[in-house]
Amino acid sequence: GRNAVDAFRVNVIHARQQVRSPVTNIAHTSFFHIKRSNIWICAAAKKNVNAALVFQFLYKMVEVMGNYFGKINEDNIKNNFVLIYELLDEIMDYGYPQNTDTGILKTYITQQGIKSQTKEETTKITNQVTGQIAWRREGIKYRRNELFLDVIESVNLLMSPQGQVLSAHVSGRVQMKSFLSGMPECKFGINDKIVVDSKRAAAARPATSPLTTASSTSA
């Protein structure tokens, strides 16, 4: 009841020392709790219950709520209070876990959860609309507009003592150093025309026959 909730709040949530154990015994009541962000999810039992079963139910409950309204935070809990009440009514009956499969639950509870946008998501949307970015300040100016690109490649080869190639791969990265003023839009591409033309020329070049070379030398 209300007394158990107050006991958990005082002895665990607002405890002076950090409570590390996920199971706390207060006044002959066992509290099994997990924490997501700043939300405590707790199950209380007065009898000797299977702790693994209780924690499995709590984690499954978090998964179900996440599938309905996304991240577990204070705003989503407040906005989806009615939905959470309906979910608890379906996944638990008289203190015993029931069906916790999200796919089956959505056939009974068709209500869509309300997802509140976090500060990071709001900032991301604002930046997409206004074009603002946080990694480059405004008003950057250089005397000469220059851009340096370095292509760094490395070859890794592993061979056995008999000379057999066990593994071989090439890794590379492109490093850029920019001295461009303002916020210019740059487009980059890899031009492999020289490599392709050289391969075509080598393939089209006629091979010299050894017999022809020997006859020309003897003559």
Side-chain angles (χ1 to χ4, degrees):
R2 184 67 181 179
N3 294 333
V5 174
D6 293 336
F8 179 78
R9 177 177 54 83
V10 173
N11 293 276
V12 178
I13 299 178
H14 295 158
R16 295 183 178 180
Q17 297 181 354
Q18 183 180 3
V19 178
R20 296 185 177 181
S21 175
V23 182
T24 306
N25 293 318
I26 305 172
H28 305 289
T29 303
S30 299
F31 295 90
F32 306 83
H33 48 84
I34 60 176
K35 188 177 181 181
R36 288 294 178 270
S37 186
N38 60 337
I39 301 298
W40 292 81
I41 303 174
C42 175
K46 287 186 174 294
K47 297 182 180 181
N48 187 15
V49 297
N50 189 341
L53 175 64
V54 176
F55 282 111
Q56 179 67 20
F57 175 78
L58 292 179
Y59 284 112
K60 195 66 179 178
M61 178 181 172
V62 172
E63 180 184 344
V64 170
M65 290 191 297
N67 291 332
Y68 267 91
F69 53 81
K71 190 176 181 180
I72 308 297
N73 54 36
E74 185 176 354
D75 292 335
N76 282 342
I77 295 294
K78 291 179 179 178
N79 295 334
N80 297 277
F81 180 79
V82 177
L83 175 60
I84 295 174
Y85 188 85
E86 293 181 5
L87 289 174
L88 288 174
D89 189 46
E90 290 292 338
I91 65 179
M92 177 174 284
D93 193 8
Y94 293 101
Y96 292 94
Q98 302 298 318
N99 191 1
T100 57
D101 184 80
T102 306
I104 299 178
L105 287 173
K106 287 188 175 181
T107 61
Y108 298 100
I109 304 175
T110 58
Q111 179 181 350
Q112 296 293 330
I114 303 174
K115 298 181 180 180
S116 63
Q117 295 178 348
T118 62
K119 184 178 180 181
E120 293 78 7
E121 294 174 344
T122 305
T123 304
K124 183 178 180 180
I125 295 174
T126 304
N127 292 339
Q128 291 177 350
V129 174
T130 61
Q132 297 179 355
I133 55 176
W135 50 266
R136 185 177 174 88
R137 67 179 187 273
E138 297 181 357
I140 298 178
K141 293 183 179 181
Y142 295 98
R143 293 184 179 179
R144 297 177 58 184
N145 287 326
E146 296 177 331
L147 186 69
F148 298 93
L149 285 174
D150 294 327
V151 180
I152 303 175
E153 295 180 335
S154 60
V155 180
N156 300 282
L157 178 66
L158 180 62
M159 298 183 63
S160 65
Q162 292 77 22
Q164 182 182 2
V165 178
L166 301 178
S167 66
H169 65 276
V170 179
S171 61
R173 65 181 184 273
V174 179
Q175 293 182 345
M176 178 187 300
K177 194 170 185 179
S178 172
F179 296 95
L180 300 177
S181 302
M183 292 291 296
E185 294 184 3
C186 303
K187 294 183 179 180
F188 303 94
I190 298 177
N191 186 6
D192 55 351
K193 185 176 183 300
I194 300 176
V195 178
V196 174
D197 291 345
S198 61
K199 289 183 178 180
R200 289 178 179 176
R205 189 181 305 161
T208 305
S209 174
L211 297 177
T212 305
T213 305
S215 62
S216 300
T217 304
S218 61

